[in-house]
Amino acid sequence: MTHAIGITDISAATTSLFFPLTSLAEAQGTSPGKYLRGIGQHEMSVPGDDEDIVTLAARAAAPIIERHGTKEIRTLVLATETGIDQSKAAGIYVHELLGLEHNARVVELKEACYSATAALQFALGIVARNPDEKVLVIASDIARYELDSSGEATQGAGALAMLVSADPAIMAIEPASGLFTENVHDFWRPNDRSTALVDGRFSVTVYLRAVTAAYDDYVSRGGAEFSSIARMCFHQPFTKMAAKAMQTLAKHAGAQSVASAVSSLEETMIHNRRLGNTYTASVYMGLLSLLENAELGAGERIGIFSYGSGAVAEFFAGTLVEGYREHVRPGALTVQLDARREIGYEEYRERHIRADRTGDYETRAEGKGPFRLAGVRESVRVYEKA
Ligand code: CAA
């Protein structure tokens, strides 16, 4: 018997601080309209001293573990481009914080913002072979660019966890998938850097090229026509990027009204406008926002476009399951977003510089989540329950 396989639970987390883009514009002498309307961003989440991708990942996944337990989870895949170790998978710390079973595997995946989609595909394959097993996929990132660079306004932080299983409660993922890979230097972070290097305008061009290429590959492999996809979620380095992507794709696919296709994205942007870029988590933050805020029915098809600089892209789709909304915890991420403490420009810059510290250190207790990074002791990261 063939089972539907897909997302059976989804939960997100963010940090304890935020920096408004109006404050950035004011300090730079830039018009706030450039950020609020031009790139479509209002705020960026900023990590507290004791928050990192591990505490964010565990905070995102904790409600899923509370609901489903640990017994059936045989795999944890953590997607990130904010690696904390060149060798050890960050997910091993998350495994311990969540109390997962010892007979579960843990691995980290990397390809810029794309790798959570690779993790999801990996999970679908595992569940197809072993329908009794569940896979926990977590995307967790802190997006950092250099101070005073063009990318500065598109920083952010957050994590999103998805539980993948047979007979999913939220969305069944369809088998058709469209792919695109090209060796480019639009955005990358060499090993000796803590902030990304980016050719901003070029990155937008490659992203748009990848949208049509991945979509064409999707259609050629039996994917659904544009008109039979009810809503779409695009990777959102900034929300305006999704609007540009939809405009390009709708024209390319011969949509009847490009304007209404673009405005149909609104419900996917509610969280991302406040989080900033969450790299690997971003497209799935868009999906969560859509699931929480749109009126959609069972069987409706959601298209997903995932993009990672460098570059790899994928277009695929899923169909909503009857009663999906009962499983998505509407408002839970908004509570975290509302609870963040606002910081000013001087504090934002001090924290940006402090985040580059190396060696051993102890952290200040600032995080609002259930887990914290206590410090680095003899080169070992020490996490604890808050
Ligand atoms: N009111 C309204 N709009 C205004 C405005 C005002 N007062 N002033 C400017 N604007 C508009 C501009 O017209 C422009 O809109 P269009 O793109 O629609 O023409 C928009 O605001 C941005 O202005 P600029 O293009 O001048 O901005 P910039 O060059 O300083 O920075 C950016 C834009 C290059 C994207 C920069 O934010 C950046 O480098 N970001 C990081 C890279 C990135 O996110 N790339 C996206 C694709 S790569 C990817 O997706 C992977 C990833 O996650 C990084």
Side-chain angles (χ1 to χ4, degrees), residues 144-167:
R144 294 180 77 233
Y145 294 87
E146 266 182 37
L147 292 171
D148 307 316
S149 70
S150 76
E152 190 174 9
T154 64
Q155 299 175 111
L160 185 137
M162 293 179 276
L163 191 63
V164 175
S165 76
D167 302 320

Side-chain angles (χ1 to χ4, degrees), residues 29 64 128 130 137 202 217 221 278 306 309 328 351 363 368:
I64 293 181
N130 307 290
V137 170
F202 179 54
D217 190 46
R221 280 157 200 281
T278 54
S306 176
S309 289
V328 300
R351 285 181 181 276
T363 61
K368 296 195 167 98

Side-chain angles (χ1 to χ4, degrees), residues 75-77 105 107 109 117-127 135:
T75 307
L76 162 59
V77 194
R105 60 171 80 82
V107 71
L109 290 189
T117 298
L120 180 58
Q121 293 293 352
F122 178 31
L124 295 169
I126 288 175
V127 177
V135 178

Side-chain angles (χ1 to χ4, degrees), residues 44-252:
M44 62 174 80
S45 279
V46 174
D49 202 44
D50 54 352
E51 292 176 315
D52 71 356
I53 57 152
V54 169
T55 66
L56 283 173
R59 187 180 188 183
I64 293 181
I65 301 304
E66 203 174 301
R67 185 183 279 171
H68 296 270
T70 58
K71 292 278 179 280
E72 292 161 324
I73 300 176
R74 292 268 292 165
T75 307
L76 162 59
V77 194
L78 192 143
T80 187
E81 53 183 301
T82 318
I84 53 166
D85 192 292
Q86 297 282 22
S87 174
K88 180 170 175 163
I92 296 179
Y93 298 104
V94 180
H95 173 279
E96 183 177 46
L97 291 174
L98 294 175
L100 296 188
E101 307 292 325
H102 287 293
N103 61 359
R105 60 171 80 82
V106 178
V107 71
E108 184 168 315
L109 290 189
K110 177 174 69 185
E111 173 17 53
C113 307
Y114 165 73
S115 63
T117 298
L120 180 58
Q121 293 293 352
F122 178 31
L124 295 169
I126 288 175
V127 177
R129 274 175 70 97
N130 307 290
D132 296 336
E133 294 185 10
K134 294 187 169 75
V135 178
L136 184 58
V137 170
I138 312 179
S140 185
D141 269 305
I142 296 169
R144 294 180 77 233
Y145 294 87
E146 266 182 37
L147 292 171
D148 307 316
S149 70
S150 76
E152 190 174 9
T154 64
Q155 299 175 111
L160 185 137
M162 293 179 276
L163 191 63
V164 175
S165 76
D167 302 320
I170 296 176
M171 188 162 100
I173 306 292
E174 296 179 323
S177 185
L179 299 169
F180 173 77
T181 294
E182 182 182 16
N183 183 13
V184 288
H185 281 85
D186 59 332
F187 167 107
W188 69 111
R189 183 165 71 81
N191 282 346
D192 58 350
R193 294 184 60 94
S194 66
T195 51
L197 291 167
V198 63
D199 185 342
R201 301 262 167 97
F202 179 54
S203 70
V204 171
T205 309
V206 183
Y207 179 122
L208 295 178
R209 186 154 81 218
V211 170
T212 51
Y215 173 76
D216 286 346
D217 190 46
Y218 166 75
V219 172
S220 78
R221 280 157 200 281
E225 289 302 322
F226 185 87
S227 57
S228 61
I229 301 176
R231 297 296 184 97
M232 289 198 196
C233 299
F234 292 89
H235 169 55
Q236 294 178 33
F238 47 94
T239 62
K240 189 75 177 289
M241 187 71 234
K244 285 176 191 285
M246 182 59 118
Q247 200 164 29
T248 302
L249 183 60
K251 269 190 210 156
H252 179 75

